[in-house]
Amino acid sequence: MKTNITLAELKQLRNYKNNIMIIDVRSNEEYNEQHIPFAENLPIEIIEAGNFIPEPGRIIITICGKGGGRSERAASYIREHNNNKTYFLDGGTFEWIENEK
């Protein structure tokens, strides 16, 4: 089962689906420094405490700084506790910002 998506796949998903939720799982401070414009901030601690219940049917994409650490952990948690398709973004926020320059 595929658990990650690339930047190109994310852009394509956003063009064809409107039921996607992009979650930046970094701290509020990290998020406020720089973030992907359409990402919502929900720190991983809140997710792992069980305080996030996604709307049924929504596709969840988790994002951290470089992609893979916290975002992979958060995506795994959401998949295990909910019935949503959930992926983490390879390269994370930093790759997005680099590609948008």
Side-chain angles (χ1 to χ4, degrees), residues 40-94:
E40 299 177 41
N41 184 222
L42 189 64
I44 191 168
E45 296 81 15
I46 292 171
I47 293 169
E48 290 181 334
N51 294 325
F52 170 66
I53 300 169
E55 185 181 315
R58 291 210 72 187
I59 298 169
I60 309 296
I61 313 294
T62 58
I63 299 170
C64 61
K66 295 180 183 175
R70 290 175 283 180
S71 60
E72 185 173 8
R73 218 171 81 205
S76 178
Y77 182 91
I78 293 167
R79 260 194 312 279
E80 289 173 17
H81 294 87
N82 300 280
N83 202 18
N84 298 70
K85 289 184 181 177
T86 307
Y87 308 94
F88 70 93
L89 178 64
D90 281 336
T93 300
F94 302 142

